[in-house]
Amino acid sequence: MSHDQYENPLISRYASKEMSQIWGAQRKFSTWRKLWIALAESEQELGLPITDAQLEELKANVDNIDFANAAKHEKALRHDVMAHVHAYGDICPQAKGIIHLGATSCFVTDNADLILLRDALHLTEKRLAAVILKLADFAKEYRALPCLGFTHLQPAQPTTIGRRACLWNYDLVMDLQELEHRLQTLKARSTKGTTGTQASFLTLFDGDHDKVRSLEKRVAEKMGFDATYAVTGQTYSRKIDSQVLDALSGIAQSTHKIATDLRILSHRKEVEEPFEEKQIGSSAMPYKRNPMRSERICALARFVMSLQSSGANTLATQWMERTLDDSANRRLTLPQAFLAIDAILIILENVASGMVVYPAMVAKHLSEELPFMATENIMMAAVAAGGDRQDLHEKLRVHSIDAGAVVKNEGKPNDLFERLQADPAFPPIDMEKVLEPSQYVGRSPQQVDEFLEDIIAPIRHRFEYRLAQQEELRV
């Protein structure tokens, strides 16, 4: 490894080897060769003079790529596809004349990109599901632990730690649904020709429209697609890239929100991400437990969200049947968006697997605010014990303001209950019962149970079944 040149940290530091390989040169150009084989096979099946020996030669050299030779051809030809046509032909002399027969460059570039998008979406889907299931386990464990709720980042009606995790998780579930939709609607470009009209293939098959349609269908099926886009220009519509980047940006938005919440909760010492035994939080302040995983998620998520605009602008500027100003942009945005999302989901799964909750701190912060939130219950209990509702309401208002002033101006604990107990206008009530936190969380625990049953259980079943199938295939 050279230390003299910039290396993309998404590959060297953050993303998985699995995702990096999807977007690597070997996978890309091997996929080009598989497409050339699918094309030649289909053309042979439809009557063109292509021999079995030529096909076997092509198949024997799918992964045998001489990158130095391809680079030499590209330097001379200034065309990456033709460089690889020549490099493939150099090691397949019998088949050299039928490689890329009737095709335009986008036959391999675009169809390969669709295949890589499909593979990357499947890996992202798997990682996202793993995070969802880990967060669901966390929600179940803390389904009923009352905590202070927040609106406007100001204390609000209590919720539970588990229900807040469901709030995070539901965003991710919607992201998973969007990913699945993108996968379900992904199609092949197949053999659409130079501007999408299939003119070259119509010539190749002597004007036989049925054979041209059959060729398109056969090539798509050989590459694992059951449908093709109805019409294309020279490329498949860059709307597809834009939609994929939108879906990845959606995941980034959700994970940024989750990580930001965790950073705030860490500041409050209520919930923390995992912290290793020898982990250093700060080089200068040894006591620190910085939420570095959550911060990294936010950093990477902002990057992915910024890439969303590239897909939109590329689509918007594809004049007529295509322009080439998409190419360099797509080489950057598509792989890097997936690599960054891959890193985010790996980190978030790690965080969700080991989040630490501090119930005593959660209870302390809730108890500091609960007196204000309990005033309505206190008033109703006092009225039931014989008090006057309107008189009690005014006294509660005055005592609440005074207690709040003591907290803010003097930094003292909230003494609202002591004030009420000392006020002879308030009849004796069971304050301990009134102050039980679980009374103030509504249906939070039940909502967690329902969310896990209605939303998470089908996801768990679907993905655990898939994983079992994959394991069975490996065996």
Side-chain angles (χ1 to χ4, degrees):
M1 182 178 71
S2 171
H3 295 282
D4 298 324
Q5 294 179 318
Y6 172 79
E7 289 186 357
N8 190 331
L10 286 171
I11 294 172
S12 62
R13 190 175 179 89
Y14 299 130
S16 68
K17 183 178 179 181
E18 200 174 358
M19 185 63 82
S20 297
Q21 286 178 337
I22 288 174
W23 296 102
Q26 182 68 49
R27 177 77 73 90
K28 174 182 176 177
F29 295 117
S30 291
T31 303
W32 283 15
R33 293 187 174 187
K34 290 174 184 176
L35 282 159
W36 279 319
I37 292 167
L39 177 64
E41 273 187 338
S42 300
E43 288 173 337
Q44 184 201 53
E45 291 163 5
L46 292 167
L48 293 188
I50 294 170
T51 68
D52 290 343
Q54 288 174 315
L55 293 176
E56 289 307 313
E57 188 178 48
L58 291 175
K59 291 175 184 178
N61 288 284
V62 167
D63 297 316
N64 180 22
I65 301 172
D66 186 338
F67 286 97
N69 186 39
K72 183 181 73 175
H73 282 300
E74 186 168 357
K75 187 175 181 180
L77 302 171
R78 307 296 294 173
H79 195 290
D80 58 346
V81 173
M82 286 308 298
H84 278 271
V85 168
H86 282 279
Y88 202 10
D90 289 344
I91 56 171
C92 299
Q94 293 182 75
K96 186 175 183 178
I98 56 95
I99 298 171
H100 200 66
L101 185 59
T104 187
S105 298
C106 288
F107 168 70
V108 286
T109 58
D110 272 38
N111 282 306
D113 283 348
L114 289 164
I115 291 166
L116 299 180
L117 285 174
R118 181 180 63 191
D119 293 347
L121 284 167
H122 275 304
L123 178 55
T124 304
E125 179 191 36
K126 183 179 76 172
R127 294 219 191 282
L128 182 55
V131 173
I132 288 169
L133 297 182
K134 292 293 184 184
L135 272 178
D137 294 339
F138 177 82
K140 182 178 181 180
E141 183 175 357
Y142 294 100
R143 61 182 285 281
L145 179 62
C147 68
L148 192 60
F150 287 91
T151 58
H152 314 276
L153 203 55
Q154 303 299 311
Q157 191 175 65
T159 180
T160 68
I161 295 289
R163 190 187 181 283
R164 180 175 285 146
C166 290
L167 201 61
W168 296 336
N169 220 359
Y170 203 16
D171 286 348
L172 297 179
V173 168
M174 287 187 276
D175 293 325
L176 181 64
Q177 292 167 345
E178 181 63 18
L179 276 189
E180 290 174 333
H181 176 64
R182 297 271 66 88
L183 274 166
Q184 289 162 6
T185 55
L186 199 66
K187 300 177 176 66
R189 180 184 180 275
S190 195
T191 52
K192 281 292 201 289
T194 306
T195 58
T197 66
Q198 298 180 307
S200 59
F201 293 109
L202 194 60
T203 299
L204 203 59
F205 289 104
D206 298 322
D208 191 326
H209 290 267
D210 289 338
K211 284 189 175 181
V212 174
R213 284 197 299 268
S214 180
L215 178 72
E216 181 179 0
K217 186 172 185 294
R218 286 168 188 251
V219 171
E221 288 174 350
K222 289 178 191 294
M223 301 313 297
F225 290 98
D226 58 9
T228 61
Y229 292 111
V231 291
T232 74
Q234 188 171 90
T235 69
Y236 66 79
S237 173
R238 296 312 183 217
K239 171 70 78 174
I240 309 306
D241 295 343
S242 181
Q243 290 173 333
V244 168
L245 288 170
D246 285 347
L248 298 182
S249 176
I251 298 172
Q253 293 159 31
S254 302
T255 54
H256 195 295
K257 185 263 195 291
I258 295 168
T260 301
D261 283 0
L262 283 171
R263 292 165 69 185
I264 295 169
L265 292 170
S266 176
H267 168 74
R268 292 175 58 79
K269 298 179 173 61
E270 292 186 4
V271 182
E272 288 182 344
E273 64 182 38
F275 198 88
E276 307 298 334
E277 184 181 351
K278 294 187 177 182
Q279 182 176 330
I280 295 174
S282 166
S283 62
M285 294 169 278
Y287 63 89
K288 294 197 78 177
R289 291 171 65 96
N290 298 336
M292 61 90 171
R293 291 173 176 84
S294 298
E295 291 172 316
R296 186 174 297 162
I297 289 169
C298 289
L300 292 167
R302 282 201 302 275
F303 174 67
V304 176
M305 287 186 278
S306 76
L307 298 179
Q308 184 180 21
S309 64
S310 283
N313 283 299
T314 296
L315 166 65
T317 54
Q318 285 299 287
W319 308 337
M320 310 305 175
E321 279 63 52
R322 82 89 49 106
T323 60
L324 195 58
D325 60 343
D326 63 335
S327 180
N329 185 280
R330 294 174 69 252
R331 288 175 194 261
L332 296 169
T333 54
L334 293 177
Q336 291 193 97
F338 275 104
L339 289 163
I341 284 294
D342 188 64
I344 287 168
L345 294 175
I346 289 169
I347 299 166
L348 188 53
E349 184 183 1
N350 172 266
V351 169
S353 300
M355 281 192 292
V356 181
V357 177
Y358 297 102
M361 289 300 293
V362 173
K364 176 179 181 291
H365 290 145
L366 180 56
S367 68
E368 290 170 353
E369 302 292 341
L370 196 58
F372 296 127
M373 297 171 191
T375 51
E376 185 177 4
N377 289 33
I378 292 170
M379 183 171 63
M380 290 189 295
V383 169
D388 180 275
R389 195 268 178 199
Q390 308 310 326
D391 182 46
L392 293 173
H393 182 278
E394 176 60 19
K395 289 186 177 295
L396 274 168
R397 186 186 70 82
V398 172
H399 284 312
S400 295
I401 291 172
D402 291 343
V406 167
V407 171
K408 293 175 182 177
N409 296 328
E410 302 178 33
K412 293 181 179 179
N414 190 330
D415 65 351
L416 177 59
F417 286 148
E418 288 80 2
R419 291 171 181 269
L420 297 178
Q421 287 175 319
D423 189 331
F426 276 83
I429 60 175
D430 186 347
M431 282 292 188
E432 186 175 337
K433 182 179 179 182
V434 171
L435 287 177
E436 170 52 47
S438 61
Q439 291 189 79
Y440 298 92
V441 300
R443 298 189 65 253
S444 292
Q446 291 74 26
Q447 285 185 344
V448 173
D449 295 340
E450 291 159 6
F451 180 78
L452 296 178
E453 178 62 28
D454 299 341
I455 305 299
I456 299 299
I459 295 173
R460 190 180 298 278
H461 174 76
R462 192 163 74 250
F463 279 89
E464 286 180 349
Y465 176 70
R466 267 193 224 173
L467 292 172
Q469 277 188 318
Q470 291 170 8
E471 185 61 33
E472 191 176 317
L473 286 172
R474 279 196 293 271
V475 172

